[in-house]
Amino acid sequence: MTVEGPSRTEVGNYFVSNYPPFSQWKPEYVSEALAALNQPARVNDPLGLYIHIPFCRKRCLFCYFKVYTDKNASEIEVYLDALIKENELYSRTPAFQGRQLRFAYFGGGTPSYISDKQLRYLVEGLNKHVTWRNAEEVTFECEPGTIQKSKLETLKEIGVTRISLGIEHFDDEILAANGRAHLSPEIFRAYEWARAVDFPQVNVDLIAGMMGETEEKWRETVRRTIELAPDSVTIYQMELPYNTVISQDILKKGIASPITDWATRRRWLNYAFEEFLAHDYEIAGADIVATKKKTCRFIYRDALWHGGDMIGIGVSSFSHFGGVNFQNAHNFEEYVRILNEDRLPLLRAVSLTPKQRLIREMVLQLKTGALDTGYFQRKYGVDVWEEFLPVYENLVKGKLLGRHNGTIELTRRGLLEVDRFLIDFFEPELKTVRYA
């Protein structure tokens, strides 16, 4: 394991969000996902629902999600009907009987792109089959330029408890250069409305290292975010997965990477951490700070990272259920067609071995900054420190983490670099495969 890690920002996935790597999910394993759905319901286990809304005003140059910028109102309505149908099909499976949603998450794309009328239609349809009326957390992602106060009021009425505003940056030149659809005046207006509607938790997203970023501009963005005083802030470091516009320009046109190096981005993230800590926030994970003035919960993250079930509905959505990872069809038309045939639109899957389940939870929980070894002893009968001793000893030598009684704690440096060394915990045959 190298201590310094990569400096240049090259094309490829850097951040770890699942295990085994997505490249190992195969169509021939879809039957294992269907088998998991036909098992008796585990009514005491947490269950979540992710709803993918793939529509956007523009495609950001750094975006790697499945999104569409060319769908009209009638096509959107076809898609909403497909989401409702998919939710209904899941509700029929044995594994869903008697289970209640603990969380729901509307992601994209841009969920706030759809109209109030379309939103109400979707929610009414979804709640007929699998409802979040008793859920502890319902998150809704918003792009500031698609928000009106009336839409936020609708979101509050349908049970949304946590709004996440995709601000990314406050500098209009940087927003435009990176293909964002909104500009800074829309940020302040949307945030003011979100506070007026009084959601229990308001999160904002920032990205460190967008094209055109400078030291001065990043510090100004951090300052303005602190002035807004959101309940939590998610701070991503820019990466370049293969399917972004920027990555394709690098690969096909041979241009140099326009993104600053990893050391600079980590320094900017650390600067943000220090500033937020000085203003009554605490670090809640490798990319999250939360205010100390109220209780902020991250149920979606914590349930999923502790092995909880989550079904993802929508084109290209990801699920984790009963120890099986699976993904939906990538193509809009194919996704709709399969659902019209009364079938779940599953594209590929992989069933996790007990050791892979343990590794998945361990690497994801390390991203929170601390790991309770007793949790793994109780759940898997494994002392993870001893099981992965050579890796942990190297990380201790590199001053990336330490062990304090039954807790493994990352240092600040470890937190800033965590995704770089998580691959060291992967099974030998999966350390060198393409991640996605």
Side-chain angles (χ1 to χ4, degrees):
M1 183 197 77
T2 58
V3 174
E4 293 304 319
S7 179
R8 286 196 324 169
T9 302
E10 299 176 342
V11 173
N13 291 80
Y14 173 80
F15 294 102
V16 174
S17 59
N18 216 324
Y19 187 80
F22 296 102
S23 63
Q24 305 305 296
W25 305 21
K26 307 292 184 182
E28 53 264 35
Y29 302 144
V30 164
S31 61
E32 297 173 355
L34 296 174
L37 292 166
N38 280 310
Q39 294 297 312
R42 292 168 284 108
V43 294
N44 294 322
D45 288 358
L47 174 65
L49 181 68
Y50 173 86
I51 306 101
H52 188 60
I53 308 296
F55 311 112
C56 291
R57 294 195 292 167
K58 292 175 63 179
R59 182 181 182 90
C60 301
L61 302 184
F62 54 82
C63 177
Y64 54 91
F65 296 108
K66 174 61 71 172
V67 299
Y68 298 92
T69 59
D70 59 349
K71 300 300 181 185
N72 60 35
S74 62
E75 290 173 306
I76 291 174
E77 287 163 9
V78 166
Y79 182 79
L80 299 183
D81 282 332
L83 287 175
I84 293 168
K85 178 67 173 181
E86 187 178 6
N87 202 39
E88 178 190 354
L89 293 180
Y90 277 114
S91 74
R92 297 181 196 169
T93 63
F96 262 66
Q97 304 312 303
R99 295 190 70 176
Q100 299 289 316
L101 289 180
R102 188 180 177 200
F103 65 88
Y105 194 107
F106 287 81
T110 307
S112 55
Y113 181 87
I114 63 176
S115 68
D116 289 34
K117 181 180 178 181
Q118 290 168 336
L119 182 59
R120 290 183 184 277
Y121 175 81
L122 173 62
V123 169
E124 182 180 344
L126 292 176
N127 276 331
K128 288 179 181 177
H129 308 294
V130 181
T131 177
W132 59 74
R133 291 192 180 97
N134 297 317
E136 297 176 57
E137 178 184 272
V138 180
T139 298
F140 199 96
E141 293 181 350
C142 298
E143 186 255 284
T146 61
I147 288 297
Q148 301 83 37
K149 189 176 182 182
S150 62
K151 186 176 291 186
L152 291 169
E153 290 169 343
T154 297
L155 294 177
K156 185 78 177 292
E157 290 171 16
I158 65 174
V160 171
T161 63
R162 182 174 178 268
I163 286 289
S164 186
L165 288 175
I167 289 174
E168 320 309 0
H169 209 283
F170 284 89
D171 186 275
D172 287 341
E173 290 183 359
I174 288 181
L175 291 170
N178 288 268
R180 291 296 291 173
H182 72 274
L183 295 174
S184 57
E186 295 167 303
I187 293 173
F188 296 108
R189 184 177 63 197
Y191 186 83
E192 181 180 348
W193 286 336
R195 282 306 193 192
V197 174
D198 196 26
F199 289 95
Q201 190 168 332
V202 176
N203 178 80
V204 304
D205 290 346
L206 301 178
I207 300 178
M210 298 173 79
M211 288 193 296
E213 185 69 274
T214 67
E215 195 84 33
E216 181 181 0
K217 289 183 176 182
W218 175 247
R219 293 189 175 208
E220 179 65 6
T221 282
V222 172
R223 184 189 68 78
R224 289 191 174 193
T225 306
I226 290 171
E227 283 185 350
L228 287 184
D231 302 314
S232 60
V233 185
T234 306
I235 312 168
Y236 299 103
Q237 297 179 64
M238 178 76 92
E239 65 169 340
L240 293 176
Y242 288 94
N243 59 338
T244 69
V245 174
I246 299 172
S247 297
Q248 290 304 303
D249 282 347
I250 293 172
L251 294 173
K252 294 178 180 179
K253 300 178 182 178
I255 68 170
S257 173
I259 306 302
T260 190
D261 59 69
W262 283 105
T264 300
R265 293 206 297 288
R266 290 172 186 143
R267 179 166 52 79
W268 285 340
L269 175 57
N270 191 55
Y271 171 81
F273 279 164
E274 290 297 327
E275 289 300 300
F276 281 106
L277 288 172
H279 289 83
D280 221 16
Y281 285 79
E282 60 186 352
I283 298 173
D287 56 7
I288 299 178
V289 295
T291 182
K292 293 181 180 179
K293 297 176 181 177
K294 61 190 291 187
T295 300
C296 289
R297 303 177 69 191
F298 306 96
I299 294 173
Y300 165 84
R301 180 196 73 177
D302 293 342
L304 197 57
W305 289 6
H306 284 76
D309 290 335
M310 185 191 75
I311 289 295
I313 62 173
V315 63
S316 202
S317 288
F318 296 95
S319 300
H320 177 79
F321 193 92
V324 183
N325 294 334
F326 47 99
Q327 184 184 19
N328 279 352
H330 287 312
N331 179 271
F332 183 99
E333 288 75 19
E334 182 185 10
Y335 168 77
V336 172
R337 176 184 60 78
I338 295 172
L339 283 163
N340 285 338
E341 295 171 358
D342 212 34
R343 297 187 292 124
L344 288 171
L346 305 187
L347 172 69
R348 57 177 182 162
V350 63
S351 182
L352 282 67
T353 66
K355 183 170 185 177
Q356 288 173 338
R357 294 190 195 193
L358 181 151
I359 292 173
R360 178 182 178 274
E361 291 189 44
M362 183 179 66
V363 297
L364 292 176
Q365 289 177 39
L366 279 170
K367 289 161 69 81
T368 68
L371 196 74
D372 175 13
T373 59
Y375 166 84
F376 291 91
Q377 187 72 59
R378 293 187 297 272
K379 185 170 184 177
Y380 292 100
V382 174
D383 182 335
V384 292
W385 184 268
E386 293 297 326
E387 181 74 11
F388 299 93
L389 186 60
V391 178
Y392 279 120
E393 285 182 334
N394 276 338
L395 295 175
V396 170
K397 289 177 183 177
K399 298 183 179 180
L400 297 168
L401 56 75
R403 187 185 188 191
H404 308 282
N405 298 320
T407 302
I408 298 171
E409 295 181 9
L410 273 65
T411 63
R412 175 68 64 80
R413 182 182 166 201
L415 202 61
L416 295 171
E417 300 184 23
V418 61
D419 287 276
R420 176 180 64 77
F421 59 74
L422 291 180
I423 194 172
D424 294 345
F425 294 100
F426 288 13
E427 294 162 292
E429 65 274 18
L430 297 181
K431 288 183 179 181
T432 57
V433 303
R434 178 168 158 170
Y435 187 72

